[in-house]
Amino acid sequence: MDGLRPAPDLTLPRRRARRQGRRFPRNPGFRERTMDYIDELRDGAAEHFREWLAALSAEDGYARAAAWGLRLQLEGLTPAEALVRVAEGMERHAGPHRVLYAASVAGGAYDDPDAIESMMETVEAILSDRVLSEAEREETRRSRIVARIRLGSYDEVDIEWLEVRAAAMTDAEMLKMDPFDGEEITELSRRVVTCGTAVRDHWTRRVIEPGERHLVLREALQGREHETRHSELSAYLHVVAGDGGAAEFLDVYDEHVALAS
């Protein structure tokens, strides 16, 4: 372990409270870019990891010490590929010092505990996903994204990943959405439609663009009829992800709601 920085405090605090929720407008023409594990790093960990790779290329002593300890040869690899190699090296060679190595490669100059925690979580995801089928890996990634939505730490890549899969849902799947389960509401009708003007999703308050498919529900509550609209993304979270409540966390951050929760 010679040459590595002194170990940071290994008692990692819980990640900071829910961050500002962010909205990313849906672009119907976008092409999904590949989502790699490095895209799942949070709290500056990805930036710190790239800085460590740059320092390693520049033959910095501290960076080389971590690479030597993990028996790594990373020349010619992309940052995404290098992250997987680092995770595998940590599994084989880090032993009880995994947090120390996470701090060295992704903690930054000041051993940011949130960045270190994010690195540890992502390393665990990489290692546990190796034994899974492709379908199972997609399910675990979806679960991690939903967890980030609830934490408020999701980003544009997370939302694009969900939206691509939501757009692949059939109308029949969207019609299975039950957003008011358990409430004393009488449903009058449901249908999947598109419309010529922008409308808003009931739960996320995100804009449903003209021509974008969505679910329209007509209900009666205490003798009064009303109509709600639900985007493909909301339907996907309810029907496929099994966590419709996460849709509300895509709304604009409300400090008063957060304090009351």
Side-chain angles (χ1 to χ4, degrees):
M1 305 299 290
D2 292 343
L4 292 179
R5 293 198 302 270
D9 181 1
L10 302 187
T11 305
L12 296 176
R14 290 180 62 85
R15 191 161 298 164
R16 286 188 286 268
R18 183 182 169 207
R19 299 166 183 79
Q20 170 75 34
R22 287 160 287 183
R23 291 184 178 182
F24 300 97
R26 172 89 182 273
N27 176 4
F30 77 77
R31 295 180 62 186
E32 181 194 21
R33 73 177 182 85
T34 302
M35 185 177 189
D36 297 307
Y37 289 105
I38 197 168
D39 297 311
E40 300 195 56
L41 290 172
R42 292 294 181 271
D43 301 303
E47 291 79 3
H48 295 325
F49 182 67
R50 289 186 172 92
E51 291 166 359
W52 177 78
L53 290 174
L56 183 62
S57 295
E59 299 190 349
D60 173 81
Y62 285 115
R64 291 181 64 187
W68 180 86
L70 297 177
R71 312 296 193 269
L72 295 174
Q73 294 292 332
L74 303 179
E75 292 83 358
L77 300 182
T78 66
E81 294 167 338
L83 177 61
V84 174
R85 292 286 183 87
V86 167
E88 293 169 347
M90 288 172 67
E91 180 185 42
R92 289 192 295 266
H93 304 296
H97 305 293
R98 190 174 289 190
V99 173
L100 176 58
Y101 279 106
S104 296
V105 304
Y110 301 102
D111 291 331
D112 184 336
D114 286 339
I116 297 169
E117 182 183 5
S118 179
M119 184 66 175
M120 292 288 288
E121 291 173 351
T122 304
V123 165
E124 180 59 33
I126 292 170
L127 298 178
S128 61
D129 279 0
R130 290 182 307 174
V131 299
L132 302 179
S133 67
E134 183 176 351
E136 290 170 330
R137 287 195 297 272
E138 174 149 323
E139 183 177 346
T140 60
R141 173 160 283 166
R142 180 172 62 237
S143 296
R144 293 194 299 271
I145 291 174
V146 171
R148 288 195 290 271
I149 289 173
R150 284 189 166 274
L151 283 171
S153 62
Y154 63 91
D155 66 10
E156 184 174 8
V157 179
D158 288 331
I159 300 305
E160 285 187 3
W161 191 94
L162 293 174
E163 286 187 327
V164 167
R165 285 148 185 82
M169 295 177 70
T170 65
D171 288 358
E173 288 175 312
M174 290 188 67
L175 287 167
K176 293 178 182 178
M177 182 181 182
D178 190 7
F180 304 114
D181 182 33
E183 298 189 30
E184 295 181 0
I185 294 176
T186 301
E187 183 176 309
L188 304 177
S189 67
R190 61 172 54 213
R191 65 191 190 281
V192 176
V193 303
T194 59
C195 60
T197 58
V199 293
R200 287 196 180 273
D201 178 88
H202 178 75
W203 293 113
T204 69
R205 308 310 301 163
R206 292 160 62 92
V207 173
I208 300 173
E209 300 292 349
E212 188 175 334
R213 184 179 59 152
H214 59 281
L215 177 67
V216 177
L217 297 180
R218 290 190 60 80
E219 307 99 356
L221 176 63
Q222 297 179 345
R224 299 182 61 181
E225 293 186 14
H226 61 99
E227 182 178 272
T228 57
R229 295 176 184 266
H230 306 269
S231 66
E232 291 174 338
L233 178 57
S234 282
Y236 183 84
L237 289 170
H238 277 81
V239 176
V240 179
D243 189 354
E248 296 182 73
F249 287 79
L250 293 173
D251 196 355
V252 173
Y253 179 73
D254 187 326
E255 182 178 0
H256 299 292
V257 172
L259 291 173
S261 62

